[in-house]
Amino acid sequence: MLQPERALEVVTDLMQSHPGAVQVVWCRQDGDRHAFCERIVGLRGTLPIFPLPLRGEGFDDPNSVAEDVVRLVEKHRAVFEAFDWNRASNAAIGILIVSRGPLFLPQGSSPAAFPAWFPRVGGQVVPVLVADVETVAEVRLDAPETRIGEIRAGIYALESALLGRLASTQHQGHGFDALGALILAGEEKAHGVLAEARRYLDSISDPRGYRPSLKLPVSITARLLRLVAGCTPDQLPHRAKALMAALSLPDSAILRVPESVPALLCRSTNPIDARDHQLRFGCNLLQTLFAAHSLSTAVAHAGDYPRYPLALLQATSFTILTTLRELERAISLAAALHADA
Amino acid sequence: MEKVERLVSTVKPAEAEALVTAWIGSVDSAGMEAATPFLQRAIGMFLPKRRARLQSLWLARIEKNGYPPPRPSQGAAPTKAAVPVVRESNVRDFAKELRLRLQKLSDQYIFQWATRYTTEVRECFWDAADLCVESSLAPAVLDHIYREFREHTREAFETHMVQCREAGEPRPTVVDKSRRGLLRFLQIPVATSRERSSLARDFVGISIWSRLCSAMLRGILIGYSRVRHEDFDASAYLLEIAPEWCDVLPYLYGDDLYSVANELPASALKDAAVRCIHPVATAIERVARDGERLILVLPGESRFSAAVGRLEYTIQMASGQKVPPIVVHYYLAPDFADVRRLEESAYRGAALVIGAFPNETQSAIQRLSSLRHITINTNSQGFRDSTGTAERATAVLQRAALGRGAVHQSVRLTYNWAKEFPLHTPVITEEYRVRRPTVRTLLGNVERRNGVHVWCSVRRSGKSTACFALESTTGASIVLAQTTAPTSPYPGATQFFRALDRILRNEEPLPDEFVNSTVRDCIPAGKARSKVVLILDEYESMFHRINAAALRDTELRYTIAQPLLSQLVAFSRDNLLIFVGQRPDAHQILLDQNQLSPFVQQNQFPLFEHHSPDASEFKDLLTKVLPEPFNLDTTFVQEVYGETGGHPYLTVGILVSFVEWLIEQQRSTANLTLHAEDFGTFVKQRLSADHIALVSELGWFYGVIGEALSDEGRSHDPWLHAVYWTMQQICTLNPGSFACSHSEYRELAHSAAGRLHVGYDPDYVLRSASEANFLTIRDEMVMPRIRLLGRLAAVASARTSL
């Protein structure tokens, strides 16, 4: 669900990227639709964008979608007439249908004529297709809906928890060897690497801008990411096992963190025992961290990548962010439990 | 030759014509060449109507004998020896005959605009034009026309109102019918005059046709304003509905315009007519008379936009080269202050903008270079009388005409003429409308029978336009067209569905005689016949509504839905019911007790045919989209037809894109003969799989196909989904030919994917889709009926929703 400010930005963007005199956009709103419309009217300035709340009538017959649009416009004639057309920008006229429900109709009805009083195209048959803002409105990767600041802060928090736990277990002499063999170079010592990683992490002033570099792997995240980048999905469980051995977390329901969607999509073809929560946790952690870092890097170069439907970005960020947070909470809580025990 | 000359000079044109006709018939191929100069001279002696008739007879004869025809002309020029002799007695005869003709219309064919009235008005034009060649007689001819049309209009509308009232129709309905009648009547002289003027090549020819049109319009408008019926104030009503007819005002000249304005109550329109429209009409006439290389095709095209109070008058030019039209924007509202609108006029290429603007607007106009030189403010000093305004308007228009006059080989095409085709107007105006004998033939084939038929075709195939043009009364039956689209522009076309809508909304039981009585109500007074051909356009919505009501409330199934289906069946026993839409099976609702569907037969609805390279509906359409000086070679027409299959919307859309491409290619205006190669190159460059999605004129169809291919498309309209999916597969798998064999088609439909997307018997899909112009079978191969649609289907993606 979009906030009015963002809805206006997205629709304005849509107007500019699509040709045509009129654009009709479907926008779902659960809350107070009247207030939503009022807010957009307050924000639109000289842009001819008209939010029209839909109250139950029409839009249930695929054969009459165009007629329904015209009927809705006719019903809200006053809204169009109240607009100061003398100062209107030259952008296409945007009709924003604000509805509680989604538009579940195939379109392709015969186009209908706009009423004679309608500005610019009055009396003309303008073929329009209603665009669902959530699927049609495509945004750059660096759109606020990607929540990249929160994701970077999530990486930071997860790394912090990992470092804390690894420092503690390494100090206690628990099985760091397998992981060490994977992430340490010839002469490096575990405690030195962890201490340097901590110093580096502490030097970060704003976790929301945290982007560990893979080229200079001072951070533990960077070392783990290189581990993931260099292996196939089937090789990953072996590395996850080494990580979990080093973390030495107690078996607990706390470790049952649902896999993020990217982790699920990169799962190993070798079945993992569903009850092996340690291994699943390790795989989930490595792959989610990798996905979070990839997204973070792509956002920094958003111009090189395609635009994506808003809803898709929202959902992708959501699964990564929630999983990062749950992984971090699980490590912190499990470590605390272990200490208590 | 001498005998012909003698007969013409002694005003015996019929005998002279018979003589020349016989002469033409007697010339054989050997004597063709020798006879040509003499025959041309003889034909040139006649007045225009007979001259045109003889000319076409001669050309037909030449063609039949295989003799190379002379360069076609609009008729040989009259020779000096044969100055036609027309006397006052001819004018009296004309007046007498005109009165009889109009009387016959009143008595027998009242309100039959599309048929009888059109024919009679055309005849009147021809006869009057012959007489007006003798300029001293023209005023008398025009006066007769005005008076006869005035009296006829008054009498016909009064009679019609009385008839309707006697038939029990309520007053508002009667008044509304008279309004619709007036609008239809006014269009007849305009369309006829425009049609003829486009062929004229000199000022005299143009002037005659436009003055005849003006006199008729004056007669109709004044006649209507004098209608007396009960307490109906026709004059006030005429003013009230002015937004609907004021687009004819630029077609009125001099006294005609003054006299119409005088009939109106004091109003802004009256002022604008006198102060804006009249002086500009004078100016246009001056520019037309002074034109040397540029001939204004008068009357131009006129449109009124009620939302902004702007009347747009567009004058084309027959200059030998196609040049942009001269456009005049009249602002009819007093004190029109919206500067942005005026700027919009300049932006849209208006040569002259005229209106009564307040002072502050005048200051803004002066500041804007785009407006300053083309605007006349009738509130400004110097333009408060029509003489000053006419002078200034003449200067502005002359400059515009001159600017369009210099055409050399080096001049590139810059204006997209195809965009002028009114693709987005709800009703195609008469001059752009193509007569569709194929649709009339289709009706003729089923008209004698009773029953239920369904005519389906791809969206925007011209179904509504064609069906509403079928409305007529012939012999024992009346053709009545109705639609479910509430915004239909056709007057009275939603009456049937509105009656049903009321019942559905109120959830009332359907009255026993609902279908019969509602259809009866839709029939104009005096038109009742023993049989009705009821055409229901956009019929899918009606069945959707009924089905939705029945699913919502079982009770409604028994009180409304099933009774309606039964009544439609009963109606079709004595009448003919024709459903028109896109899909053939929308009537298949409540199938366990549907008595209607088993009776429904699907007929092939024709797209614009192109059987003959010389004359076809399709060629007619192309000529209207790309008029002279575009010269359309038969290979070009064939090539475009091969791509669009005669689908009108796609044809116009693709030609807009094609001309845009010609402009990009910097095509010379001196070389506008179009061949198949031109279109072929365009197709290769712009309609290939990697480009076609970028053609904005096809964007809507591209989107619509994506909708049909979507999951929602499959569940809401499985037939359309199956058809587009099949088309997509055929065109994707066979990118060169866009065709597959019949057996490959069956394999496709029976494949795993086919079973998922084509939930029907493949033979049914193929047959019904062929009859609805989606697919076709040719030489045992299955292919899209419209190749362009196939190209779009091949690249379209199903829309995916969240």
Side-chain angles (χ1 to χ4, degrees):
Chain A
M1 230 56 66
L2 293 173
Q3 293 302 307
E5 292 79 2
R6 186 63 185 139
L8 187 64
E9 279 173 18
V10 169
V11 172
T12 309
D13 201 29
L14 194 68
M15 305 282 115
Q16 281 160 0
S17 56
H18 286 68
V22 181
Q23 294 285 337
V24 188
V25 180
W26 187 275
C27 183
R28 250 179 344 132
Q29 276 300 317
D30 280 342
D32 183 345
R33 284 176 298 149
H34 181 70
F36 179 86
C37 294
E38 293 266 285
R39 183 74 186 130
I40 288 200
V41 168
L43 290 166
R44 72 183 168 195
T46 61
L47 285 169
I49 291 178
F50 301 90
L52 311 178
L54 180 68
R55 302 206 191 280
E57 72 275 43
F59 295 96
D60 56 356
D61 176 6
N63 302 300
S64 64
V65 176
E67 291 282 351
D68 290 338
V69 170
V70 170
R71 201 158 28 205
L72 188 68
V73 162
E74 191 73 76
K75 188 176 161 190
H76 291 279
R77 178 175 178 167
V79 173
F80 291 89
E81 290 184 337
F83 185 71
D84 183 359
W85 289 98
N86 288 328
R87 293 176 52 241
S89 83
N90 285 331
I93 298 175
I95 298 170
L96 192 61
I97 302 174
V98 184
S99 164
R100 275 206 197 292
L103 177 65
F104 271 141
L105 281 182
Q107 298 175 63
S109 63
S110 290
F114 275 82
W117 56 263
F118 194 82
R120 298 182 189 170
V121 292
Q124 289 188 34
V125 178
V126 184
V128 289
L129 292 176
V130 183
D132 186 343
V133 75
E134 289 177 32
T135 51
V136 175
E138 291 181 344
V139 295
R140 275 168 59 105
L141 277 177
D142 53 4
E145 285 74 14
T146 312
R147 303 165 75 178
I148 203 64
E150 291 174 74
I151 287 176
R152 286 170 181 162
I155 296 173
Y156 180 93
L158 179 60
E159 183 174 337
S160 186
L162 277 170
L163 264 183
R165 181 64 188 161
L166 287 174
S168 155
T169 53
Q170 196 271 334
H171 181 68
Q172 291 163 17
H174 290 300
F176 195 82
D177 293 353
L179 183 66
L182 293 169
I183 67 171
L184 300 179
E187 297 301 311
E188 284 181 331
K189 298 291 179 208
H191 69 274
V193 166
L194 293 176
E196 193 189 354
R198 171 56 70 187
R199 276 196 298 281
Y200 174 66
L201 205 60
D202 289 345
S203 73
I204 301 297
S205 56
D206 180 10
R208 295 173 60 84
Y210 182 53
R211 280 182 63 206
S213 164
L214 264 66
K215 288 183 187 149
L216 293 168
V218 282
S219 80
I220 203 73
T221 296
R223 286 173 188 267
L224 292 177
L225 291 175
R226 283 166 66 146
L227 200 61
V228 180
C231 75
T232 65
D234 282 352
Q235 292 168 333
L236 193 84
H238 170 69
R239 298 174 186 208
K241 202 174 273 180
L243 172 67
M244 293 312 285
L247 286 173
S248 185
L249 294 170
D251 281 328
S252 158
I254 294 167
L255 294 189
R256 293 181 193 174
V257 175
E259 277 90 348
S260 67
V261 174
L264 189 76
L265 297 180
C266 294
R267 58 181 283 279
S268 162
T269 56
N270 301 318
I272 295 175
D273 184 346
R275 289 162 302 177
D276 189 345
H277 298 298
Q278 288 275 351
L279 186 56
R280 289 179 66 178
F281 186 92
C283 290
N284 193 9
L285 189 152
L286 289 173
Q287 280 161 329
T288 305
L289 196 58
F290 189 79
H293 179 265
S294 295
L295 185 62
S296 169
T297 307
V299 167
H301 304 96
D304 298 342
Y305 296 95
R307 299 161 77 94
Y308 287 93
L310 195 60
L312 179 61
L313 270 191
Q314 284 175 317
T316 305
S317 296
F318 178 79
T319 183
I320 291 175
L321 186 58
T322 51
T323 310
L324 284 177
R325 286 175 176 167
E326 286 186 48
L327 289 166
E328 183 272 320
R329 287 305 301 147
I331 293 170
S332 304
L333 279 172
L337 278 178
H338 197 229
D340 281 354
Chain B
M1 184 74 203
E2 282 164 14
K3 201 172 169 187
V4 174
E5 207 168 322
R6 198 171 54 246
L7 286 169
V8 170
S9 63
T10 53
V11 201
K12 290 179 178 166
E15 282 178 48
E17 188 184 8
L19 196 65
V20 177
T21 306
W23 186 7
I24 290 171
S26 69
V27 178
D28 59 16
S29 56
M32 275 282 149
E33 196 171 351
T36 301
F38 295 99
L39 267 168
Q40 290 289 10
R41 188 160 162 246
I43 291 169
M45 292 176 190
F46 288 88
L47 291 173
K49 187 174 167 185
R50 290 182 203 277
R51 195 194 312 153
R53 209 149 52 203
L54 289 168
Q55 184 73 14
S56 47
L57 193 68
W58 174 230
L59 287 174
R61 181 75 186 168
I62 285 172
E63 230 172 85
K64 195 177 164 198
N65 285 341
Y67 177 73
R71 193 179 165 74
S73 67
Q74 296 304 323
T79 59
K80 203 175 176 184
V83 172
V85 179
V86 186
R87 300 206 169 107
E88 277 172 24
S89 59
N90 298 95
V91 178
R92 281 196 297 277
D93 291 347
F94 164 77
K96 208 164 133 188
E97 197 179 331
L98 176 61
R99 184 171 301 168
L100 288 173
R101 271 189 187 147
L102 294 174
Q103 191 57 51
K104 196 172 173 190
L105 288 176
S106 293
D107 295 343
Q108 295 176 30
Y109 307 109
I110 196 164
F111 273 38
Q112 290 193 18
W113 311 115
T115 48
R116 282 294 175 158
Y117 269 78
T118 304
T119 311
E120 293 300 329
V121 169
R122 278 187 183 170
E123 284 298 313
C124 171
F125 262 104
W126 276 114
D127 293 345
D130 278 358
L131 295 172
C132 287
V133 168
E134 177 54 62
S135 58
S136 64
L137 297 178
V141 173
L142 294 169
D143 195 52
H144 280 301
I145 288 181
Y146 154 60
R147 286 172 195 285
E148 293 303 333
F149 269 74
R150 184 190 66 197
E151 284 319 293
H152 169 73
T153 306
R154 189 188 54 70
E155 187 192 329
F157 279 80
E158 281 180 4
T159 309
H160 188 257
M161 288 174 119
V162 170
Q163 282 176 355
C164 291
R165 289 295 274 160
E166 284 172 354
E169 291 190 44
R171 163 77 181 271
T173 311
V174 174
V175 171
D176 194 53
K177 279 186 177 171
S178 83
R179 176 185 64 85
R180 284 165 2 214
L182 173 70
L183 300 178
R184 295 286 301 271
F185 196 10
L186 287 170
Q187 282 310 311
I188 296 173
V190 172
T192 311
S193 163
R194 294 201 59 192
E195 198 177 294
R196 298 308 314 163
S197 293
S198 63
L199 299 175
R201 284 291 177 271
D202 56 66
F203 173 70
V204 176
I206 287 168
S207 176
I208 288 172
W209 289 100
S210 44
R211 284 195 175 276
L212 290 169
C213 172
S214 171
M216 286 180 199
L217 293 176
R218 175 188 176 189
I220 296 169
L221 286 166
I222 294 181
Y224 187 84
S225 76
R226 294 183 184 177
V227 165
R228 296 285 170 265
H229 175 71
E230 298 174 6
D231 60 346
F232 176 58
D233 184 347
S235 182
Y237 185 65
L238 196 60
L239 183 64
E240 189 187 324
I241 62 169
E244 295 183 73
W245 62 261
C246 69
D247 59 346
V248 303
L249 286 174
Y251 303 135
L252 290 157
Y253 284 78
D255 289 344
D256 291 339
L257 185 61
Y258 274 129
S259 114
V260 168
N262 278 339
E263 290 294 309
L264 296 172
S267 57
L269 181 70
K270 185 173 181 162
D271 285 347
V274 174
R275 295 178 62 194
C276 297
I277 300 172
H278 179 261
V280 174
T282 310
I284 290 172
E285 200 180 358
R286 281 181 198 160
V287 175
R289 193 188 295 128
D290 295 341
E292 285 180 11
R293 279 190 295 170
L294 288 167
I295 306 284
L296 305 188
V297 177
L298 298 173
E301 188 184 341
S302 177
R303 282 186 203 147
F304 181 65
S305 162
V308 280
R310 180 173 63 210
L311 183 58
E312 298 182 20
Y313 187 56
T314 306
I315 311 158
Q316 300 291 353
M317 278 168 287
S319 63
Q321 297 292 348
K322 195 78 186 180
V323 290
I326 290 182
V327 184
V328 180
H329 282 190
Y330 306 86
Y331 284 88
L332 301 185
D335 293 328
F336 188 86
D338 188 343
V339 182
R340 281 193 73 88
R341 290 286 182 199
L342 302 182
E343 278 188 272
E344 188 181 83
S345 290
Y347 176 72
R348 289 172 56 179
L352 172 62
V353 178
I354 183 166
F357 312 121
N359 286 340
E360 60 272 27
T361 308
Q362 179 62 26
S363 313
I365 291 168
Q366 286 303 319
R367 284 195 300 274
L368 293 164
S369 59
S370 59
L371 278 174
R372 200 184 311 143
H373 298 298
I374 61 165
T375 307
I376 299 178
N377 181 1
T378 57
N379 281 343
S380 294
Q381 192 70 31
F383 305 124
R384 291 191 181 139
D385 69 337
S386 63
T387 317
T389 307
E391 274 171 14
R392 163 102 159 123
T394 307
V396 173
L397 292 175
Q398 265 168 349
R399 193 178 52 218
L402 280 174
R404 289 156 172 77
V407 180
H408 301 294
Q409 183 75 26
S410 61
V411 176
R412 306 292 173 201
L413 183 69
T414 54
Y415 185 77
N416 193 334
W417 296 95
K419 279 188 179 169
E420 299 213 338
F421 191 92
L423 198 56
H424 299 304
T425 54
V427 180
I428 298 290
T429 44
E430 195 64 35
E431 66 265 27
Y432 285 106
R433 192 176 297 167
V434 173
R435 299 197 190 287
R436 305 283 318 271
T438 50
V439 181
R440 199 158 275 286
T441 305
L442 169 63
L443 179 65
N445 289 342
V446 295
E447 198 176 6
R448 265 170 256 112
R449 288 172 267 162
N450 297 336
V452 194
H453 292 255
V454 61
W455 295 354
C456 294
S457 187
V458 180
R459 285 271 183 249
R460 314 243 74 196
S461 303
K463 298 185 290 290
S464 302
T465 304
C467 287
F468 281 91
L470 287 174
E471 280 199 310
S472 64
T473 316
T474 49
S477 64
I478 174 167
V479 181
L480 181 71
Q482 290 284 297
T483 179
T484 63
T487 59
S488 168
Y490 297 98
T494 57
Q495 205 173 332
F496 182 86
F497 191 65
R498 281 186 198 282
L500 180 61
D501 184 58
R502 268 194 300 277
I503 286 170
L504 285 166
R505 277 179 192 276
N506 299 335
E507 303 192 344
E508 297 163 1
L510 194 80
D512 284 345
E513 279 291 305
F514 172 78
V515 171
N516 281 330
S517 67
T518 313
V519 169
R520 244 189 336 261
D521 292 345
C522 297
I523 297 173
K527 297 285 175 64
R529 293 290 187 278
S530 56
K531 178 177 165 181
V532 180
V533 178
L534 176 62
I535 300 176
L536 279 180
D537 191 20
E538 303 283 357
Y539 85 105
E540 292 102 327
S541 284
M542 181 174 87
F543 286 98
H544 179 89
R545 286 288 308 276
I546 302 165
N547 196 38
L551 293 176
R552 187 176 69 239
D553 183 346
T554 313
E555 182 65 14
L556 298 180
R557 172 178 181 146
Y558 299 105
T559 56
I560 300 178
Q562 282 179 194
L564 181 68
L565 295 178
S566 305
Q567 286 191 26
L568 288 172
V569 172
F571 175 82
S572 70
R573 284 195 197 107
D574 301 319
N575 302 285
L576 180 60
L577 180 57
I578 298 170
F579 296 136
V580 178
Q582 180 172 236
R583 56 185 278 205
D585 59 349
H587 51 80
Q588 292 181 3
I589 59 167
L590 312 172
L591 280 177
D592 51 338
Q593 281 177 300
N594 182 325
Q595 300 172 25
L596 178 72
S597 288
F599 293 103
V600 181
Q601 299 172 51
Q602 189 180 352
N603 306 125
Q604 170 97 48
F605 183 84
L607 294 172
F608 285 48
E609 60 77 28
H610 184 56
H611 298 313
S612 154
D614 301 319
S616 68
E617 292 173 355
F618 187 69
K619 190 180 179 194
D620 200 4
L621 173 69
L622 252 57
T623 317
K624 287 175 191 292
V625 186
L626 299 176
E628 282 185 0
F630 280 110
N631 183 17
L632 312 181
D633 186 77
T634 51
T635 58
F636 174 81
V637 180
Q638 186 61 45
E639 193 77 5
V640 181
Y641 184 76
E643 199 56 54
T644 70
H647 184 285
Y649 181 86
L650 286 170
T651 301
V652 178
I654 209 63
L655 288 179
V656 168
S657 183
F658 171 68
V659 177
E660 210 60 49
W661 176 81
L662 285 180
I663 292 170
E664 285 172 31
Q665 304 293 308
Q666 303 200 323
R667 183 70 167 237
S668 162
T669 50
N671 174 22
L672 291 180
T673 298
L674 304 173
H675 298 277
E677 296 74 43
D678 291 314
F679 196 72
T681 312
F682 163 75
V683 168
K684 275 195 198 102
Q685 291 187 10
R686 294 294 159 87
L687 302 187
S688 59
D690 50 347
H691 275 99
I692 192 167
L694 303 173
V695 179
S696 59
E697 287 76 16
L698 304 176
W700 184 76
F701 257 104
Y702 183 66
V704 162
I705 296 172
E707 293 286 329
L709 291 172
S710 70
D711 287 344
E712 285 93 344
R714 191 172 59 180
S715 60
H716 278 90
D717 194 343
W719 181 85
L720 191 66
H721 178 83
V723 170
Y724 271 127
W725 182 84
T726 305
M727 193 189 292
Q728 181 174 61
Q729 296 302 309
I730 293 173
C731 297
T732 311
L733 297 172
N734 306 279
S737 63
F738 293 105
C740 70
S741 68
H742 196 257
S743 61
E744 283 169 335
Y745 165 76
R746 294 186 66 84
E747 268 176 41
L748 184 66
H750 287 303
S751 66
R755 287 198 301 277
L756 180 67
H757 293 282
V758 186
Y760 296 87
D761 169 19
D763 290 336
Y764 167 73
V765 171
L766 187 53
R767 182 178 52 74
S768 56
S770 301
E771 287 174 348
N773 298 318
F774 285 91
L775 297 173
T776 189
I777 311 170
R778 208 179 302 150
D779 302 329
E780 290 297 304
M781 299 296 278
V782 182
M783 62 188 84
R785 168 73 175 77
I786 301 161
R787 196 195 296 157
L788 187 54
L789 207 56
R791 287 182 194 275
L792 285 169
V795 296
S797 304
R799 178 179 62 79
T800 310
S801 55
L802 276 174

